Amino acid sequence: MNIVILAAGLGKRMRSRLPKVLHCVAGRPMLDHVIGTAQAVAAGRGGPTRTVVVIGHGAEQVRRAFSDRGDVDFVLQQPQLGTGHAVAQAVPRLDEAWPTLVLYGDVPLVRAETLQRLLDGAGSAVGVLTVRLADPTGYGRIVRDWHGNVLRIVEQKDASDDEKQIDEVNTGILVAPTGKLKAWLARLSNDNAQQEYYLTDVVAQAVAEGVRVAGIAAADADETLGVNSKAQLAQLERVAQARAAAAVMDAGATLADPARFDLRGELTVGADVFIDVNCVFEGRVSLADGVRIGPNCVIRDCAIGSRTEVQGFCHLDGATIGANARIGPFARLRPTTTLADEVHIGNFVEVKNSQLADGSKANHLAYVGDATVGRNVNIGAGTIVANYDGANKHRTVIGDDAHTGSNSVLVAPITVGAGATVGAGSTVTREVPAGQLTVARAKQVTIRGWKRPVKKK
Ligand code: UD1
Ligand code: CA
């Protein structure tokens, strides 16, 4: 199938330097949603897929944002003379053996099932996706005859008063046989109120040639909504999030409030997962059976094992966490951190690029960076792994069952042996032997008979 996505328009009302189609919905550019949905539909129908995006305003930025996508072609439309002119720019790239599906880059939430229905309804003829709106102002109207056959589409600015009463509108999404579409596009004129080459005029040409035009109605208006302003972007974000919440609940998760759940990536959930309010999930996150996430967490690219509990206000990024662990409240995990089963990371603890084996704990106010930590280690309150010498980062290795006292500093590179204890307040810079108590702090002294100074009169 050929896919043509129109994305050359200016998007002036966004008031942004970023081209409109690069604004994100659910963490992905709008254009990425459209490409993804259309390609998934095309793949399902078999045959080769050609995807052509028509760009104009901000063309280079759009091209760059998708430069790693070998399966998407870009054509420049300069100047922008209307939607028909836009599709005409893509024509040389289209394969006449397959139909052409036209979509808009700023209508991101159209469903795959809806496109399927449009393609099935059109068959080898023309299909137009329509929707009925309580207020159709501004849209092209679908003009049908007494039998309900689609005759043509008339734009708001060209419509008669009677035509303006029609509440069935053109969503802009259309499918047509490619060879015929090429011929119709070549014959478009711009003799209309906006002096543009309207794609919508191909409908009347099809009808004149006796080619059937199926007007297929979208199930709900949400999926045909376009974005022209930040307010509409926010509205579509809510639509996308309501869908994401519904999908996560379908998969079995309990959401404390689906209206306070944000997914900007992919979330997979096991059975009996509970997610409290105001959590944001980004990238790829998986939550195994029985995981509980407290309120106000940000979780990006993490895999969390069964029955682990993440308490409120945690920021977890790029971490792999085992089963029955307890994280937070107020914990921060940074990329390439691996926590094994039953690890506890408590409040105001930051862990970066470290591995903690089964049962180890850092319950309060600690920094653990570039460390390999054994089993059942207890990292005391206020422990700092000083991994950075101002120029380079170094590793720390802490053996099984070691304990570090409160407010200790382990200056890397350093090894703390298995079963070692570091006394509270110690700054250790050399190897800490296994099984011993090591104290590295000034000795406590008491000055007997010392008199506290008194104020001179
Ligand atoms: C268009 C349709 C109208 C429909 C409405 C749905 C035409 C003539 N009209 O109207 O029937 O109800 O969409 O929203 O097709 N674009 C280009 N190059 C251009 C012009 C537009 O790439 O030269 C792109 C825009 O970036 C946008 C899309 O095409 O993504 C639609 O353009 P827009 O100007 O919004 O069309 P409307 O006038 O709203
Ligand atoms: Ca529009």
Side-chain angles (χ1 to χ4, degrees):
M1 200 169 74
N2 303 293
I3 299 164
V4 177
I5 301 172
L6 306 190
L10 178 54
K12 194 166 156 197
R13 283 200 283 146
M14 295 297 278
R15 299 190 188 284
S16 173
R17 278 185 228 284
L18 194 65
K20 181 162 69 173
V21 294
L22 295 186
H23 285 268
C24 286
V25 169
R28 278 160 64 211
M30 289 195 272
L31 180 56
D32 195 46
H33 285 268
V34 181
I35 293 173
T37 307
Q39 288 188 341
V41 169
R45 298 181 83 83
T49 302
R50 292 202 185 164
T51 306
V52 184
V53 180
V54 182
I55 49 177
H57 285 282
E60 278 321 301
Q61 258 177 291
V62 177
R63 216 191 276 267
R64 228 177 302 126
F66 289 84
S67 56
D68 58 340
R69 297 283 298 261
D71 56 348
V72 179
D73 257 358
F74 290 91
V75 296
L76 194 64
Q77 185 200 16
Q78 201 76 272
Q80 284 95 45
L81 302 179
T83 50
H85 178 253
V87 176
Q89 309 312 301
V91 154
R93 316 274 178 118
L94 306 180
D95 182 341
E96 293 197 19
W98 304 92
T100 295
L101 175 66
V102 180
L103 303 121
Y104 291 173
D106 56 1
V107 180
L109 297 184
V110 61
R111 286 195 176 89
E113 307 85 81
T114 302
L115 296 180
Q116 292 284 11
R117 229 161 25 82
L118 174 68
L119 294 165
D120 292 342
S124 60
V126 175
V128 177
L129 186 69
T130 75
V131 66
R132 287 189 186 280
L133 296 180
D135 178 12
T137 311
Y139 291 90
R141 307 298 206 283
I142 307 295
V143 181
R144 294 181 186 255
D145 67 15
W146 289 112
H147 305 288
N149 299 316
V150 175
L151 294 180
R152 59 195 180 92
I153 297 175
V154 61
E155 292 304 296
Q156 166 86 24
K157 288 180 177 148
D158 303 291
S160 66
D161 286 345
D162 278 354
E163 288 166 339
K164 284 184 187 140
Q165 302 304 310
I166 299 171
D167 66 352
E168 186 186 10
V169 307
N170 172 31
T171 63
I173 297 172
L174 164 154
V175 62
T178 303
K180 292 203 161 72
L181 179 65
K182 286 185 182 180
W184 297 330
L185 290 172
R187 291 205 295 267
L188 288 181
S189 103
N190 66 348
D191 182 14
N192 52 49
Q194 303 184 77
Q195 293 180 347
E196 285 181 7
Y197 296 91
Y198 292 163
L199 174 63
T200 45
D201 284 350
V202 304
V203 169
Q205 291 195 57
V207 171
E209 281 181 23
V211 176
R212 190 175 59 90
V213 178
I216 306 292
D220 67 76
D222 282 347
E223 60 176 322
T224 68
L225 291 176
V227 171
N228 295 305
S229 64
K230 292 284 169 67
Q232 288 169 340
L233 184 66
Q235 190 188 349
L236 284 208
E237 180 70 26
R238 286 302 99 205
V239 172
Q241 292 306 340
R243 284 188 193 175
V248 170
M249 290 188 290
D250 273 352
T254 300
L255 298 183
D257 182 359
R260 285 179 290 169
F261 164 83
D262 284 82
L263 175 56
R264 300 171 194 157
E266 284 169 42
L267 176 61
T268 55
V269 292
D272 299 311
V273 165
F274 173 78
I275 300 170
D276 215 324
V277 300
N278 293 335
C279 293
V280 177
F281 296 88
E282 299 178 338
R284 263 165 212 241
V285 176
S286 67
L287 308 177
D289 294 351
V291 166
R292 298 182 68 84
I293 308 291
N296 303 298
C297 292
V298 176
I299 303 182
R300 177 190 305 131
D301 293 323
C302 287
I304 302 184
S306 329
R307 294 171 305 281
T308 283
E309 180 170 6
V310 177
Q311 296 180 348
F313 298 94
C314 288
H315 196 287
L316 314 183
D317 183 2
T320 304
I321 305 172
N324 297 307
R326 204 168 71 215
I327 314 295
F330 300 101
R332 180 170 185 210
L333 303 182
R334 291 170 53 200
T336 58
T337 287
T338 304
L339 308 180
D341 296 347
E342 290 172 40
V343 165
H344 291 186
I345 301 294
N347 38 244
F348 308 107
V349 173
E350 175 180 343
V351 184
K352 187 213 81 171
N353 185 29
S354 296
Q355 295 78 46
L356 276 71
D358 290 351
S360 285
K361 297 180 173 63
N363 275 323
H364 333 265
L365 303 157
Y367 174 66
V368 181
D370 301 310
T372 304
V373 179
R375 296 160 171 265
N376 300 319
V377 168
N378 197 317
I379 294 175
T383 297
I384 302 293
V385 173
N387 59 326
Y388 185 53
D389 61 14
N392 296 297
K393 299 209 169 114
H394 304 280
R395 263 207 102 73
T396 294
V397 177
I398 302 177
D400 294 348
D401 201 35
H403 291 192
T404 69
S406 297
N407 208 33
S408 50
V409 180
L410 314 179
V411 180
I414 194 167
T415 301
V416 175
T421 301
V422 177
S426 294
T427 295
V428 292
T429 56
R430 283 176 284 131
E431 182 177 338
V432 175
Q436 313 291 320
L437 168 67
T438 298
V439 183
R441 65 182 180 225
K443 268 218 160 60
Q444 180 169 331
V445 294
T446 301
I447 314 290
R448 294 196 183 279
W450 178 82
K451 287 274 183 319
R452 189 183 288 169
V454 289
K455 212 169 193 147
K456 285 181 188 148
K457 294 217 168 85

